Amino acid sequence: MGDCETRQGAYQDSLMNLESLRKSLVRQEDTIIFSLIERSNYPINSLLYDRQSSASFFHCFLKESEAVHAKAGRYTSLEENAFFPDDLPPPLLPPPKQEPALHPSGACININEKILDLYMKTLLPLIAAKGDDGNYAATAANDLACLQALSRRIHFGKFVAEVKFRDAPQDYTPAIRAKDREALMKLLTFESVEEMIKKRVEKKAMVFGQDVQLQENESTGKYKVKPEVVSQLYGEWVMPLTKIVQVEYLLRRLD
């Protein structure tokens, strides 16, 4: 399972263009926001994350869940990246036959360790209240949903980098050959677009996170997840990590 050449991409060459990828990224915003809202229904429940000997209950839950998903073929797709990629059983069914959409050298890039650390130490305290209600199974399941949604969005940078390279190889090749990460980061950064995305996800969080009122113009002003937290999540973590994935992918694109 660790061999990227055995994995498949859901995107055929005919669908690999920036417009189709942008539409997918916009849809993924909804998934991320809804998963954060679901997780906010439970307090921190820190007992889940206390390490018993070498691993916490949540780490065991995550590892075992990925094993089940792997048997169903989830990680045969290049769009999915496991948090425990070295411990996956083989799929029980053969994967669909498709031409891989990513360059093999960059397809295996996986920064889930950073994503997990960010989620546990930084994001979770921002969306979950202090306390313990004993709903550990439901809490862990919602953590898993959040992590998978964030991982999918951030690693989607590999597809975006591939399309950008195909569209303008002359722009990226000199920096790739020079191993110039800073130059690649500049080529990938569009501040106006990033500001637009931050505003969009903040507005979505406002709309999705309000309790529906029967009376028009009636609003409590309270949100299940603070909209500014979602904007912060994208501005400080999701988009920067996505660009790290893109840079690392491009550095391997000519291998």
Side-chain angles (χ1 to χ4, degrees), residues 38-39 42 45 48 61 133-144:
E38 288 299 311
R39 178 58 182 88
Y42 302 92
N45 286 334
L48 265 176
F61 179 91
D133 67 357
N135 287 309
Y136 303 125
T139 300
N142 281 287
D143 282 330
L144 175 64

Side-chain angles (χ1 to χ4, degrees), residues 76-90:
T76 60
S77 168
L78 288 171
E79 296 172 57
E80 302 292 344
N81 296 268
F83 287 85
F84 295 95
D86 297 329
D87 299 307
L88 299 178

Side-chain angles (χ1 to χ4, degrees), residues 11 21 31 50 52 83 88 90 114 123 130 135 141 147 159 180 185 211 217 220 229 255:
Y11 282 87
L21 296 183
T31 302
D50 289 343
Q52 306 292 332
F83 287 85
L88 299 178
K114 289 183 179 180
L123 181 57
K130 294 180 180 179
N135 287 309
L147 285 167
F159 290 93
D180 191 337
M185 187 64 75
D211 290 324
N217 301 321
T220 62
V229 168
D255 291 352

Side-chain angles (χ1 to χ4, degrees), residues 56-219:
S56 68
F57 172 81
F58 177 67
H59 277 76
C60 294
F61 179 91
L62 177 56
K63 188 174 182 178
E64 293 297 324
S65 297
E66 288 193 333
V68 173
H69 290 184
K71 290 180 180 180
R74 180 178 189 131
Y75 301 107
T76 60
S77 168
L78 288 171
E79 296 172 57
E80 302 292 344
N81 296 268
F83 287 85
F84 295 95
D86 297 329
D87 299 307
L88 299 178
L92 299 178
L93 298 173
K97 292 183 178 181
Q98 294 177 341
E99 288 296 321
L102 298 178
H103 191 67
S105 295
C108 281
I109 292 168
N110 187 329
I111 64 166
N112 272 338
E113 185 176 349
K114 289 183 179 180
I115 296 171
L116 180 60
D117 188 66
L118 158 69
Y119 181 79
M120 302 295 293
K121 295 180 179 178
T122 306
L123 181 57
L124 196 53
L126 294 176
I127 63 172
K130 294 180 180 179
D132 190 317
D133 67 357
N135 287 309
Y136 303 125
T139 300
N142 281 287
D143 282 330
L144 175 64
C146 287
L147 285 167
Q148 288 176 332
L150 288 168
S151 174
R152 182 183 175 90
R153 166 60 176 82
I154 290 166
H155 287 102
F156 217 71
K158 289 183 277 188
F159 290 93
V160 176
E162 173 65 24
V163 170
K164 287 184 175 181
F165 178 83
R166 291 186 191 182
D167 286 349
Q170 70 281 357
D171 293 343
Y172 295 95
T173 297
I176 294 172
R177 294 197 185 283
K179 303 297 182 185
D180 191 337
R181 285 179 166 81
E182 184 176 349
L184 288 171
M185 187 64 75
K186 287 181 179 178
L187 286 169
L188 295 166
T189 299
F190 299 90
E191 293 183 0
S192 60
V193 174
E194 292 180 7
E195 285 300 315
M196 179 191 68
I197 292 172
K198 287 166 58 179
K199 291 178 181 177
R200 184 173 64 223
V201 296
E202 183 171 2
K203 187 170 184 178
K204 284 184 177 182
M206 293 175 67
V207 174
F208 300 163
Q210 291 188 81
D211 290 324
V212 175
Q213 304 295 324
L214 294 178
Q215 299 297 323
E216 291 187 11
N217 301 321
E218 183 179 346
S219 174

